[in-house]
Amino acid sequence: MVFENLSNKLQEVFKKLKGKGRLTEEDVNLALREVRIALLEADVNFQVVKDFIAKVKEKAVGHEVLESLTPGQQVIKIVHEELINLMGKTNAKLNDAGSPPTIIMLVGLQGAGKTTTAAKLAYLLKKQGKKPLLVAADVYRPAAIKQLQVLGDSIDVPVFTMGEQSPVDIAKASINFAKSNLKNYVIIDTAGRLHINEELMDELKKIKDVVHPHEILLVVDAMTGQDAVNVAKSFNDELGLTGVILTKLDGDTKGGAALSVKAVTGCPIKFAGMGEKIENLEPFYPDRMASRILGMGDVLTLIEKAKEALDAEKAQKMQEKLKSREFDLEDFLDSMQQIKKMGPLEQLLGMIPGMGKVKDIAGMVDEKELKHIEAIIYSMTPEERRKPEIIDGSRKKRIAKGSGTSIQEVNRLLKQFEQMKKLMKQFGGMEKQLKKGKKIKFPFFS
């Protein structure tokens, strides 16, 4: 889960604060000392941490906070607000050219995932009804042009290429091609290097001078931590970046890059790569990320993913079955197959407050586990699928034998089925509560 170590440490600190009826200035100082250590261990820039702690302390030791009825909650609220400010306050959207095409120039070092990110961004724009054009301007890395062509074909987005000619000439010609073919977005995949050098920067500056991009987005690997921030600063000083795309934010990342890059460079994080698949590029929302770091969940993103991935008609039928208590194991299997479309379940659970209590179901939606679930459910009689409560010891033994699994696996599936029923009941009420402007309650996770 993204920022898992940092998130766990911060939540542990605030758990102690919430457990106290009254807070003293010393209590706040001790808590902020632990917060500082947690941020530094997450590879957040030292000066950023220093400024962050100072701002939080200034607000947290005020009379209104320490004398309030819920001082611990007030301190958490302040930390939440400052985390949002640290990462950019609001979602930074792409600049619009006004008169098409909007030209986006992707820059970065080798290995950051620039070419794949170019295709992901094209896919995202296409889903929004745009007409993107990918431009293969990396003529140095072996097979870079072919890689972009393969990715472009997979999402049905054209790729402009002139082979191994000058990247500056390729970029210039691509704009004329885009105008002639009514493409309203041009995404230029420029060449990277293993490290920043004068030759690389000179070429990028020439491309910038020729095409006058509306966006210069730096693609950096979030797993490189503080190095990503240093790279961002160097590129920004030379080119004047308009934003950053963090890749591999779903990996074992400490979080330092996401929490430092805006403060150090002034450049907003516009997108985050949350997986290897072409659809795993998301707009970056500082407020939602801050909530996830502090264990408050991210219900809005969860609902957006559900709307995009789930079959609305099937989802409605499942809700009706849940209400009438007719939700059975065949519906359960169908729901697992639909949820798989939304992405790794561990990521989804990270968007729900209190997800720690349902980690048992985090590994359910992968190919191997789904096959086990299918085998077990299809080894049951129609009556057993409709009424799981009738499955006793002898039936479990027969089902396990028929599916090539164990009784323990059958028991685990039945437990997961009950958990999923509770989870889906809760999820069904989230959007209604949000629309009414109500605070969402999570009795299942409390």
Side-chain angles (χ1 to χ4, degrees):
M1 189 178 75
V2 60
F3 297 150
E4 186 167 11
N5 289 337
L6 175 61
S7 182
N8 289 340
K9 286 175 182 176
L10 291 181
Q11 288 177 56
E12 199 58 41
V13 173
F14 297 133
K15 187 178 178 182
K16 295 175 188 174
L17 281 185
K18 286 194 289 186
K20 297 189 175 186
R22 290 180 62 83
L23 287 182
T24 65
E25 187 172 335
E26 182 60 23
D27 291 329
V28 174
N29 287 336
L30 285 172
L32 291 182
R33 194 173 301 147
E34 291 184 51
V35 171
R36 184 177 70 245
I37 292 168
L39 291 171
L40 290 172
E41 287 179 351
D43 209 11
V44 181
N45 177 274
F46 175 77
Q47 189 59 48
V48 171
V49 174
K50 187 178 177 182
D51 294 345
F52 176 83
I53 295 297
K55 288 175 183 176
V56 173
K57 184 177 179 181
E58 183 182 353
K59 295 179 181 179
V61 297
H63 175 77
E64 295 83 1
V65 173
L66 296 182
E67 296 300 318
S68 70
L69 293 173
T70 56
Q73 294 282 13
Q74 294 294 322
V75 173
I76 296 168
K77 182 173 179 287
I78 291 167
V79 171
H80 183 245
E81 289 170 353
E82 289 303 322
L83 277 175
I84 293 171
N85 292 336
L86 192 62
M87 291 186 284
K89 294 186 180 179
T90 58
N91 168 242
K93 299 185 183 300
L94 285 175
N95 295 325
D96 192 331
S99 177
T102 296
I103 302 164
I104 301 170
M105 184 175 162
L106 295 188
V107 301
L109 298 181
Q110 281 185 13
K114 190 158 25 63
T115 301
T116 305
T117 299
K120 287 181 176 181
L121 183 56
Y123 176 79
L124 190 64
L125 290 169
K126 188 180 177 184
K127 278 202 308 179
Q128 296 170 0
K130 314 295 185 187
K131 296 177 181 177
L133 172 71
L134 287 163
V135 180
D138 181 356
V139 300
Y140 308 112
R141 182 169 64 87
I145 295 172
K146 183 63 178 176
Q147 181 189 358
L148 193 62
Q149 288 174 323
V150 170
L151 289 168
D153 287 343
S154 72
I155 57 174
D156 196 24
V157 169
V159 176
F160 182 84
T161 176
M162 290 167 50
E164 296 183 5
Q165 293 189 38
S166 160
V168 179
D169 293 340
I170 293 169
K172 184 178 180 180
S174 73
I175 308 304
N176 294 327
F177 179 89
K179 289 176 180 177
S180 301
N181 290 271
L182 304 178
K183 301 300 178 185
N184 49 21
Y185 276 83
V186 177
I187 302 169
I188 304 173
D189 177 30
T190 65
R193 299 288 191 279
L194 293 174
H195 53 84
I196 296 169
N197 60 35
E198 192 175 338
E199 183 186 16
L200 166 67
M201 287 302 174
D202 284 346
E203 182 174 282
L204 294 176
K205 286 175 185 174
K206 287 175 184 175
I207 294 174
K208 177 185 175 182
D209 291 342
V210 166
V211 303
H212 306 292
H214 305 94
E215 289 276 9
I216 303 178
L217 300 178
L218 175 70
V219 180
V220 285
D221 183 344
M223 293 179 73
T224 58
Q226 199 53 221
D227 285 343
V229 180
N230 297 332
V231 168
K233 190 174 185 309
S234 298
F235 270 90
N236 189 47
D237 290 344
E238 293 287 339
L239 294 171
L241 301 174
T242 58
V244 173
I245 299 178
L246 287 178
T247 63
K248 305 176 188 175
L249 202 57
D250 60 313
D252 186 24
T253 173
K254 292 180 177 180
L259 292 171
S260 305
V261 71
K262 175 67 169 66
V264 172
T265 67
C267 300
I269 301 168
K270 295 202 171 184
F271 298 95
M274 301 300 291
E276 295 180 4
K277 294 181 180 177
I278 203 79
E279 63 269 22
N280 294 149
L281 184 71
E282 301 175 2
F284 185 84
Y285 291 91
D287 54 341
R288 300 184 190 184
M289 189 57 71
S291 294
R292 288 169 73 176
I293 290 170
L294 296 178
M296 298 174 180
D298 180 4
V299 176
L300 287 172
T301 299
L302 185 62
I303 288 171
E304 286 170 6
K305 281 180 173 285
K307 279 183 172 178
E308 188 177 309
L310 303 186
D311 184 306
E313 190 177 336
K314 282 186 177 182
Q316 182 61 38
K317 285 180 181 177
M318 282 186 194
Q319 281 300 314
E320 290 169 2
K321 285 192 171 190
L322 279 166
K323 286 177 185 175
S324 61
R325 299 190 178 184
E326 292 177 2
F327 186 81
D328 59 28
L329 281 162
E330 286 186 346
D331 298 317
F332 171 71
L333 178 59
D334 196 28
S335 70
M336 287 294 94
Q337 290 165 338
Q338 285 211 62
I339 288 172
K340 184 175 181 290
K341 298 175 189 175
M342 292 170 62
L345 191 54
E346 188 176 358
Q347 272 186 32
L348 304 181
L349 292 176
M351 298 175 192
I352 304 172
M355 58 77 68
K357 290 189 179 181
V358 289
K359 278 191 175 179
D360 280 356
I361 62 174
M364 286 163 58
V365 194
D366 61 35
E367 290 293 342
K368 187 178 178 182
E369 193 64 28
L370 263 179
K371 285 176 182 174
H372 282 185
I373 290 172
E374 286 176 358
I376 292 170
I377 292 175
Y378 292 147
S379 294
M380 297 175 183
T381 65
E383 186 182 19
E384 287 167 344
R385 290 176 211 162
R386 288 193 301 270
K387 300 177 181 177
E389 64 273 10
I390 69 170
I391 301 175
D392 56 18
S394 62
R395 288 175 185 261
K396 288 176 185 176
K397 191 174 180 181
R398 191 202 76 247
I399 292 165
K401 187 176 180 181
S403 59
T405 59
S406 65
I407 292 174
Q408 287 82 1
E409 287 175 285
V410 176
N411 283 332
R412 186 168 76 246
L413 171 62
L414 294 173
K415 180 184 176 184
Q416 290 168 343
F417 169 65
E418 290 301 322
Q419 286 184 325
M420 182 57 69
K421 279 209 297 189
K422 291 178 183 178
L423 184 63
M424 290 184 70
K425 278 181 184 176
Q426 273 190 252
F427 183 70
M430 285 180 190
E431 188 171 9
K432 289 181 183 177
Q433 291 182 55
L434 278 173
K435 283 181 178 177
K436 292 178 182 177
K438 293 182 179 179
K439 186 177 179 182
I440 294 176
K441 295 180 181 179
F442 296 87
F444 177 48
F445 301 106
S446 59

